[in-house]
Amino acid sequence: MNRVITINLNGVAYQLEESGYEQLRAYLDHAARSLEGNPDKDEILADIEQAIADKFRALLGAYKTVVSTKEVAEVITQMGPVQGAGGAAPEATPAAAGGKPADSAQAASDAGTSRPPRRLYKINDGAMFAGVCNGLSAYLNIDVSFIRIGFVLLTIFWGTGALVYLVLAFILPEARTPEEKAAASGAAATTEEFIRRAKAGYYEGMKHFNDRDARREWKRKFRQEMRDWKHGFRRQMAGNAAQWQQHWAPAGGPPSDHWASVGLTLTILTWTRLLCLALAFYAAFSLVTHGAVFGLALPTDIPVWLGIVGIFFVYHFLTWPLKMMHRSIRHAHWGYRRLAGPLDGIVWLAFLVVMVWTADHYSPAFHTWLQDLPPSIHRGMAEVKEWMARR
Amino acid sequence: MDFNEKFAPITKGLLEFLVLKIIAGDKVYVPDILQQLSATEFATQEGTLYPLLSKMRREQLVDYEWKESESGPPRKYYELTAKGRAQLRETMEFWQQINETVKSLGKK
């Protein structure tokens, strides 16, 4: 099932599938751009629209009232790219050649100024720890797995990955609202861009109607379309944001109205997590004191601190579903607790401080590593600088 | 060797001449022109033809009139102006010359 958008081509309404509409919009925008400066621009665009309308009409019948995306693409291919003054008038080459690069430069600078302002956030949906990799992945538009692998490699070879991660985890704000989540990947601004272009198309369309009624009709349809589109987009974003929670909600038992059973589930979840935490603590402790976890010895070439990081990696990995369940139940019954985020952060920070203190106190290896930390950070920075300079 | 690519400037340059020739035959609207060209080496598309026609109209080589059609909105039918006919005649003569030049060169 696809959404359908009604468009007005020279006074006749056609219904297009949504992505087909976007393709057509892009084609006409591009046509308008390449005809920039042509005195007959409006007339040519009207002719082009009429030709498209004729082709659409040939495709439609009594039992087929919507033009599919595929058909729109075929029609666009048939139409061919609209060539500006330079393309069709070989004798006007000097002027046209002068005009063309300026046009594309203009288009490029247009694209540059309206480039979505992305923001770096932590994104908790589907995160393993704090969502730093997720946020980076959205920001850089790279698959999250590659970012994670990058961090792990950085940690193994230079020992800086975990540190960078921790720093980012504390510094970055968390994307909570759908708008923030969209801003993380620049989607919201793309919406702005879309609206801007649609408006440009709207004024372009207005020029073709001399008749007042036709103009009013075009205005009304355009407004309704934009409203529908905006609502659809909002709904979709909210849906995406809620997806994880919905996904986990049934796993925490059917959403029950009895406070007692919710409380019981929460208590069990909390105790399970606490137990896991205690186990992780014990594992880290035994790793530091005996160099082994539950009888599993750490290979000699891996430093102790990396073992500790590994343990907490495993801990988070195992308790992550529990965390999500917990969160979804809490959301369902108490709404959103604004304090929960910072509180979790403080607890986590305190925990980290205790960990480092314990490790420093009981493990000579960790102690010397901690002493070496500033110089090694320095080295890491120098390496990064060198790498940047080489590029 | 790709003829299409190599002779693209020539086909492009000749397109205006051929469009003049087609319009000289009868009053036509754009789908007619495209259809007549479609089977030839000069097959083209609306995206190219409409800007070309508007340029030719600005140069007063062609003009159009609106005609009602039985199926759908009125259509633009193009016809040659006096200036267009004169240009067509000149271009035809020039084309004959080129043809003869091509044939005669290199021949003993």
PDB file of all heavy atoms in Angstrom, chain A residues 4-31:
ATOM      1  N   VAL A   4      -0.837   8.237  -1.893  1.00  0.00           N
ATOM      2  CA  VAL A   4      -1.025   8.825  -3.212  1.00  0.00           C
ATOM      3  C   VAL A   4      -1.063  10.336  -3.061  1.00  0.00           C
ATOM      4  O   VAL A   4      -1.626  10.864  -2.110  1.00  0.00           O
ATOM      5  CB  VAL A   4      -2.330   8.301  -3.829  1.00  0.00           C
ATOM      6  CG1 VAL A   4      -2.763   9.184  -4.978  1.00  0.00           C
ATOM      7  CG2 VAL A   4      -2.146   6.879  -4.299  1.00  0.00           C
ATOM      8  N   ILE A   5      -0.416  11.014  -3.995  1.00  0.00           N
ATOM      9  CA  ILE A   5      -0.391  12.472  -3.950  1.00  0.00           C
ATOM     10  C   ILE A   5      -1.049  13.005  -5.220  1.00  0.00           C
ATOM     11  O   ILE A   5      -0.800  12.494  -6.313  1.00  0.00           O
ATOM     12  CB  ILE A   5       1.054  12.978  -3.807  1.00  0.00           C
ATOM     13  CG1 ILE A   5       1.505  12.707  -2.379  1.00  0.00           C
ATOM     14  CG2 ILE A   5       1.159  14.453  -4.132  1.00  0.00           C
ATOM     15  CD1 ILE A   5       2.887  13.132  -2.074  1.00  0.00           C
ATOM     16  N   THR A   6      -1.919  13.963  -5.039  1.00  0.00           N
ATOM     17  CA  THR A   6      -2.595  14.548  -6.192  1.00  0.00           C
ATOM     18  C   THR A   6      -1.801  15.756  -6.667  1.00  0.00           C
ATOM     19  O   THR A   6      -1.425  16.597  -5.870  1.00  0.00           O
ATOM     20  CB  THR A   6      -4.006  14.990  -5.802  1.00  0.00           C
ATOM     21  OG1 THR A   6      -4.659  13.899  -5.184  1.00  0.00           O
ATOM     22  CG2 THR A   6      -4.781  15.423  -7.016  1.00  0.00           C
ATOM     23  N   ILE A   7      -1.533  15.784  -7.960  1.00  0.00           N
ATOM     24  CA  ILE A   7      -0.807  16.940  -8.497  1.00  0.00           C
ATOM     25  C   ILE A   7      -1.641  17.599  -9.574  1.00  0.00           C
ATOM     26  O   ILE A   7      -2.577  17.007 -10.114  1.00  0.00           O
ATOM     27  CB  ILE A   7       0.555  16.540  -9.088  1.00  0.00           C
ATOM     28  CG1 ILE A   7       0.350  15.547 -10.226  1.00  0.00           C
ATOM     29  CG2 ILE A   7       1.458  15.969  -8.023  1.00  0.00           C
ATOM     30  CD1 ILE A   7       1.526  15.473 -11.142  1.00  0.00           C
ATOM     31  N   ASN A   8      -1.275  18.817  -9.866  1.00  0.00           N
ATOM     32  CA  ASN A   8      -1.985  19.594 -10.864  1.00  0.00           C
ATOM     33  C   ASN A   8      -1.026  19.866 -12.018  1.00  0.00           C
ATOM     34  O   ASN A   8      -0.025  20.553 -11.857  1.00  0.00           O
ATOM     35  CB  ASN A   8      -2.418  20.911 -10.200  1.00  0.00           C
ATOM     36  CG  ASN A   8      -3.182  21.797 -11.135  1.00  0.00           C
ATOM     37  OD1 ASN A   8      -3.105  21.659 -12.348  1.00  0.00           O
ATOM     38  ND2 ASN A   8      -3.918  22.713 -10.555  1.00  0.00           N
ATOM     39  N   LEU A   9      -1.321  19.266 -13.166  1.00  0.00           N
ATOM     40  CA  LEU A   9      -0.492  19.536 -14.340  1.00  0.00           C
ATOM     41  C   LEU A   9      -1.340  20.337 -15.324  1.00  0.00           C
ATOM     42  O   LEU A   9      -2.292  19.821 -15.893  1.00  0.00           O
ATOM     43  CB  LEU A   9      -0.033  18.231 -14.992  1.00  0.00           C
ATOM     44  CG  LEU A   9       1.047  17.440 -14.245  1.00  0.00           C
ATOM     45  CD1 LEU A   9       1.306  16.126 -14.931  1.00  0.00           C
ATOM     46  CD2 LEU A   9       2.335  18.231 -14.138  1.00  0.00           C
ATOM     47  N   ASN A  10      -0.983  21.608 -15.444  1.00  0.00           N
ATOM     48  CA  ASN A  10      -1.722  22.501 -16.342  1.00  0.00           C
ATOM     49  C   ASN A  10      -3.235  22.410 -16.153  1.00  0.00           C
ATOM     50  O   ASN A  10      -3.991  22.308 -17.123  1.00  0.00           O
ATOM     51  CB  ASN A  10      -1.360  22.207 -17.797  1.00  0.00           C
ATOM     52  CG  ASN A  10      -0.051  22.875 -18.157  1.00  0.00           C
ATOM     53  OD1 ASN A  10       0.613  23.448 -17.303  1.00  0.00           O
ATOM     54  ND2 ASN A  10       0.316  22.801 -19.421  1.00  0.00           N
ATOM     55  N   GLY A  11      -3.666  22.379 -14.917  1.00  0.00           N
ATOM     56  CA  GLY A  11      -5.099  22.478 -14.656  1.00  0.00           C
ATOM     57  C   GLY A  11      -5.829  21.152 -14.551  1.00  0.00           C
ATOM     58  O   GLY A  11      -7.024  21.140 -14.276  1.00  0.00           O
ATOM     59  N   VAL A  12      -5.134  20.027 -14.764  1.00  0.00           N
ATOM     60  CA  VAL A  12      -5.801  18.733 -14.617  1.00  0.00           C
ATOM     61  C   VAL A  12      -5.125  17.981 -13.464  1.00  0.00           C
ATOM     62  O   VAL A  12      -3.901  17.985 -13.347  1.00  0.00           O
ATOM     63  CB  VAL A  12      -5.702  17.900 -15.912  1.00  0.00           C
ATOM     64  CG1 VAL A  12      -6.415  16.563 -15.738  1.00  0.00           C
ATOM     65  CG2 VAL A  12      -6.306  18.670 -17.065  1.00  0.00           C
ATOM     66  N   ALA A  13      -5.954  17.363 -12.608  1.00  0.00           N
ATOM     67  CA  ALA A  13      -5.401  16.670 -11.442  1.00  0.00           C
ATOM     68  C   ALA A  13      -5.007  15.247 -11.807  1.00  0.00           C
ATOM     69  O   ALA A  13      -5.739  14.546 -12.509  1.00  0.00           O
ATOM     70  CB  ALA A  13      -6.424  16.652 -10.318  1.00  0.00           C
ATOM     71  N   TYR A  14      -3.824  14.843 -11.352  1.00  0.00           N
ATOM     72  CA  TYR A  14      -3.381  13.458 -11.520  1.00  0.00           C
ATOM     73  C   TYR A  14      -2.962  12.929 -10.164  1.00  0.00           C
ATOM     74  O   TYR A  14      -2.449  13.674  -9.329  1.00  0.00           O
ATOM     75  CB  TYR A  14      -2.202  13.370 -12.493  1.00  0.00           C
ATOM     76  CG  TYR A  14      -2.600  13.673 -13.899  1.00  0.00           C
ATOM     77  CD1 TYR A  14      -2.560  14.983 -14.359  1.00  0.00           C
ATOM     78  CD2 TYR A  14      -3.057  12.676 -14.748  1.00  0.00           C
ATOM     79  CE1 TYR A  14      -2.959  15.287 -15.648  1.00  0.00           C
ATOM     80  CE2 TYR A  14      -3.454  12.969 -16.030  1.00  0.00           C
ATOM     81  CZ  TYR A  14      -3.408  14.276 -16.478  1.00  0.00           C
ATOM     82  OH  TYR A  14      -3.809  14.569 -17.742  1.00  0.00           O
ATOM     83  N   GLN A  15      -3.186  11.626  -9.975  1.00  0.00           N
ATOM     84  CA  GLN A  15      -2.778  11.014  -8.713  1.00  0.00           C
ATOM     85  C   GLN A  15      -1.532  10.174  -8.949  1.00  0.00           C
ATOM     86  O   GLN A  15      -1.505   9.333  -9.840  1.00  0.00           O
ATOM     87  CB  GLN A  15      -3.906  10.158  -8.167  1.00  0.00           C
ATOM     88  CG  GLN A  15      -5.092  11.008  -7.786  1.00  0.00           C
ATOM     89  CD  GLN A  15      -6.182  10.184  -7.163  1.00  0.00           C
ATOM     90  OE1 GLN A  15      -6.609   9.201  -7.720  1.00  0.00           O
ATOM     91  NE2 GLN A  15      -6.610  10.587  -5.988  1.00  0.00           N
ATOM     92  N   LEU A  16      -0.519  10.436  -8.121  1.00  0.00           N
ATOM     93  CA  LEU A  16       0.769   9.757  -8.264  1.00  0.00           C
ATOM     94  C   LEU A  16       1.116   9.074  -6.952  1.00  0.00           C
ATOM     95  O   LEU A  16       0.779   9.586  -5.888  1.00  0.00           O
ATOM     96  CB  LEU A  16       1.868  10.784  -8.549  1.00  0.00           C
ATOM     97  CG  LEU A  16       2.236  11.095  -9.980  1.00  0.00           C
ATOM     98  CD1 LEU A  16       1.035  11.614 -10.733  1.00  0.00           C
ATOM     99  CD2 LEU A  16       3.328  12.137  -9.999  1.00  0.00           C
ATOM    100  N   GLU A  17       1.825   7.958  -7.043  1.00  0.00           N
ATOM    101  CA  GLU A  17       2.379   7.380  -5.820  1.00  0.00           C
ATOM    102  C   GLU A  17       3.420   8.342  -5.269  1.00  0.00           C
ATOM    103  O   GLU A  17       4.059   9.065  -6.024  1.00  0.00           O
ATOM    104  CB  GLU A  17       3.026   6.026  -6.118  1.00  0.00           C
ATOM    105  CG  GLU A  17       2.019   4.926  -6.242  1.00  0.00           C
ATOM    106  CD  GLU A  17       2.653   3.581  -6.538  1.00  0.00           C
ATOM    107  OE1 GLU A  17       3.890   3.525  -6.666  1.00  0.00           O
ATOM    108  OE2 GLU A  17       1.902   2.617  -6.645  1.00  0.00           O
ATOM    109  N   GLU A  18       3.587   8.286  -3.958  1.00  0.00           N
ATOM    110  CA  GLU A  18       4.385   9.314  -3.293  1.00  0.00           C
ATOM    111  C   GLU A  18       5.808   9.423  -3.845  1.00  0.00           C
ATOM    112  O   GLU A  18       6.278  10.514  -4.152  1.00  0.00           O
ATOM    113  CB  GLU A  18       4.428   9.032  -1.792  1.00  0.00           C
ATOM    114  CG  GLU A  18       4.964  10.208  -1.005  1.00  0.00           C
ATOM    115  CD  GLU A  18       4.768  10.012   0.481  1.00  0.00           C
ATOM    116  OE1 GLU A  18       4.437   8.896   0.891  1.00  0.00           O
ATOM    117  OE2 GLU A  18       4.947  10.987   1.222  1.00  0.00           O
ATOM    118  N   SER A  19       6.493   8.272  -3.990  1.00  0.00           N
ATOM    119  CA  SER A  19       7.892   8.393  -4.421  1.00  0.00           C
ATOM    120  C   SER A  19       7.966   8.790  -5.891  1.00  0.00           C
ATOM    121  O   SER A  19       8.924   9.430  -6.312  1.00  0.00           O
ATOM    122  CB  SER A  19       8.659   7.100  -4.144  1.00  0.00           C
ATOM    123  OG  SER A  19       7.959   6.010  -4.665  1.00  0.00           O
ATOM    124  N   GLY A  20       6.927   8.429  -6.653  1.00  0.00           N
ATOM    125  CA  GLY A  20       6.852   8.892  -8.032  1.00  0.00           C
ATOM    126  C   GLY A  20       6.721  10.394  -8.076  1.00  0.00           C
ATOM    127  O   GLY A  20       7.338  11.078  -8.901  1.00  0.00           O
ATOM    128  N   TYR A  21       5.899  10.917  -7.152  1.00  0.00           N
ATOM    129  CA  TYR A  21       5.715  12.364  -7.068  1.00  0.00           C
ATOM    130  C   TYR A  21       7.042  13.046  -6.808  1.00  0.00           C
ATOM    131  O   TYR A  21       7.371  14.062  -7.427  1.00  0.00           O
ATOM    132  CB  TYR A  21       4.715  12.671  -5.942  1.00  0.00           C
ATOM    133  CG  TYR A  21       4.737  14.091  -5.470  1.00  0.00           C
ATOM    134  CD1 TYR A  21       4.115  15.089  -6.214  1.00  0.00           C
ATOM    135  CD2 TYR A  21       5.386  14.456  -4.302  1.00  0.00           C
ATOM    136  CE1 TYR A  21       4.138  16.396  -5.789  1.00  0.00           C
ATOM    137  CE2 TYR A  21       5.415  15.762  -3.870  1.00  0.00           C
ATOM    138  CZ  TYR A  21       4.785  16.734  -4.616  1.00  0.00           C
ATOM    139  OH  TYR A  21       4.832  18.022  -4.192  1.00  0.00           O
ATOM    140  N   GLU A  22       7.827  12.454  -5.890  1.00  0.00           N
ATOM    141  CA  GLU A  22       9.113  13.073  -5.577  1.00  0.00           C
ATOM    142  C   GLU A  22      10.047  13.076  -6.783  1.00  0.00           C
ATOM    143  O   GLU A  22      10.752  14.042  -7.039  1.00  0.00           O
ATOM    144  CB  GLU A  22       9.768  12.370  -4.387  1.00  0.00           C
ATOM    145  CG  GLU A  22       9.314  12.985  -3.086  1.00  0.00           C
ATOM    146  CD  GLU A  22       9.426  12.029  -1.922  1.00  0.00           C
ATOM    147  OE1 GLU A  22      10.320  11.187  -1.934  1.00  0.00           O
ATOM    148  OE2 GLU A  22       8.592  12.143  -0.997  1.00  0.00           O
ATOM    149  N   GLN A  23      10.014  11.956  -7.535  1.00  0.00           N
ATOM    150  CA  GLN A  23      10.858  11.905  -8.739  1.00  0.00           C
ATOM    151  C   GLN A  23      10.446  12.982  -9.743  1.00  0.00           C
ATOM    152  O   GLN A  23      11.282  13.666 -10.325  1.00  0.00           O
ATOM    153  CB  GLN A  23      10.735  10.539  -9.410  1.00  0.00           C
ATOM    154  CG  GLN A  23      11.516   9.462  -8.700  1.00  0.00           C
ATOM    155  CD  GLN A  23      11.384   8.126  -9.405  1.00  0.00           C
ATOM    156  OE1 GLN A  23      11.130   8.075 -10.604  1.00  0.00           O
ATOM    157  NE2 GLN A  23      11.535   7.055  -8.669  1.00  0.00           N
ATOM    158  N   LEU A  24       9.137  13.114  -9.920  1.00  0.00           N
ATOM    159  CA  LEU A  24       8.636  14.097 -10.887  1.00  0.00           C
ATOM    160  C   LEU A  24       8.999  15.506 -10.440  1.00  0.00           C
ATOM    161  O   LEU A  24       9.434  16.336 -11.245  1.00  0.00           O
ATOM    162  CB  LEU A  24       7.118  13.957 -11.026  1.00  0.00           C
ATOM    163  CG  LEU A  24       6.489  14.873 -12.065  1.00  0.00           C
ATOM    164  CD1 LEU A  24       7.023  14.548 -13.442  1.00  0.00           C
ATOM    165  CD2 LEU A  24       4.978  14.741 -12.046  1.00  0.00           C
ATOM    166  N   ARG A  25       8.832  15.745  -9.135  1.00  0.00           N
ATOM    167  CA  ARG A  25       9.182  17.041  -8.556  1.00  0.00           C
ATOM    168  C   ARG A  25      10.647  17.358  -8.870  1.00  0.00           C
ATOM    169  O   ARG A  25      10.986  18.446  -9.319  1.00  0.00           O
ATOM    170  CB  ARG A  25       8.953  16.930  -7.044  1.00  0.00           C
ATOM    171  CG  ARG A  25       9.316  18.087  -6.201  1.00  0.00           C
ATOM    172  CD  ARG A  25       8.173  19.042  -6.037  1.00  0.00           C
ATOM    173  NE  ARG A  25       8.174  19.984  -7.129  1.00  0.00           N
ATOM    174  CZ  ARG A  25       7.116  20.621  -7.575  1.00  0.00           C
ATOM    175  NH1 ARG A  25       5.932  20.398  -7.039  1.00  0.00           N
ATOM    176  NH2 ARG A  25       7.198  21.481  -8.553  1.00  0.00           N
ATOM    177  N   ALA A  26      11.515  16.358  -8.634  1.00  0.00           N
ATOM    178  CA  ALA A  26      12.952  16.559  -8.859  1.00  0.00           C
ATOM    179  C   ALA A  26      13.221  16.848 -10.330  1.00  0.00           C
ATOM    180  O   ALA A  26      14.008  17.729 -10.671  1.00  0.00           O
ATOM    181  CB  ALA A  26      13.734  15.341  -8.398  1.00  0.00           C
ATOM    182  N   TYR A  27      12.520  16.103 -11.216  1.00  0.00           N
ATOM    183  CA  TYR A  27      12.731  16.303 -12.651  1.00  0.00           C
ATOM    184  C   TYR A  27      12.349  17.723 -13.047  1.00  0.00           C
ATOM    185  O   TYR A  27      13.090  18.417 -13.745  1.00  0.00           O
ATOM    186  CB  TYR A  27      11.899  15.277 -13.436  1.00  0.00           C
ATOM    187  CG  TYR A  27      11.917  15.492 -14.931  1.00  0.00           C
ATOM    188  CD1 TYR A  27      13.012  15.100 -15.680  1.00  0.00           C
ATOM    189  CD2 TYR A  27      10.854  16.101 -15.586  1.00  0.00           C
ATOM    190  CE1 TYR A  27      13.046  15.301 -17.045  1.00  0.00           C
ATOM    191  CE2 TYR A  27      10.873  16.309 -16.946  1.00  0.00           C
ATOM    192  CZ  TYR A  27      11.973  15.909 -17.683  1.00  0.00           C
ATOM    193  OH  TYR A  27      12.012  16.121 -19.024  1.00  0.00           O
ATOM    194  N   LEU A  28      11.181  18.167 -12.586  1.00  0.00           N
ATOM    195  CA  LEU A  28      10.715  19.502 -12.965  1.00  0.00           C
ATOM    196  C   LEU A  28      11.583  20.595 -12.349  1.00  0.00           C
ATOM    197  O   LEU A  28      11.849  21.619 -12.995  1.00  0.00           O
ATOM    198  CB  LEU A  28       9.248  19.691 -12.554  1.00  0.00           C
ATOM    199  CG  LEU A  28       8.258  18.879 -13.397  1.00  0.00           C
ATOM    200  CD1 LEU A  28       6.853  19.004 -12.845  1.00  0.00           C
ATOM    201  CD2 LEU A  28       8.288  19.315 -14.854  1.00  0.00           C
ATOM    202  N   ASP A  29      12.042  20.351 -11.119  1.00  0.00           N
ATOM    203  CA  ASP A  29      12.956  21.317 -10.492  1.00  0.00           C
ATOM    204  C   ASP A  29      14.221  21.461 -11.321  1.00  0.00           C
ATOM    205  O   ASP A  29      14.702  22.549 -11.569  1.00  0.00           O
ATOM    206  CB  ASP A  29      13.351  20.843  -9.085  1.00  0.00           C
ATOM    207  CG  ASP A  29      12.311  21.239  -8.065  1.00  0.00           C
ATOM    208  OD1 ASP A  29      11.355  21.932  -8.457  1.00  0.00           O
ATOM    209  OD2 ASP A  29      12.445  20.839  -6.902  1.00  0.00           O
ATOM    210  N   HIS A  30      14.731  20.293 -11.729  1.00  0.00           N
ATOM    211  CA  HIS A  30      15.965  20.300 -12.509  1.00  0.00           C
ATOM    212  C   HIS A  30      15.736  21.010 -13.838  1.00  0.00           C
ATOM    213  O   HIS A  30      16.566  21.798 -14.292  1.00  0.00           O
ATOM    214  CB  HIS A  30      16.452  18.871 -12.729  1.00  0.00           C
ATOM    215  CG  HIS A  30      17.774  18.808 -13.400  1.00  0.00           C
ATOM    216  ND1 HIS A  30      17.904  18.585 -14.746  1.00  0.00           N
ATOM    217  CD2 HIS A  30      19.020  18.982 -12.905  1.00  0.00           C
ATOM    218  CE1 HIS A  30      19.186  18.626 -15.058  1.00  0.00           C
ATOM    219  NE2 HIS A  30      19.881  18.856 -13.955  1.00  0.00           N
ATOM    220  N   ALA A  31      14.578  20.735 -14.454  1.00  0.00           N
ATOM    221  CA  ALA A  31      14.248  21.391 -15.720  1.00  0.00           C
ATOM    222  C   ALA A  31      14.213  22.900 -15.532  1.00  0.00           C
ATOM    223  O   ALA A  31      14.783  23.652 -16.324  1.00  0.00           O
ATOM    224  CB  ALA A  31      12.903  20.883 -16.231  1.00  0.00           C
TER     225      ALA A  31
END
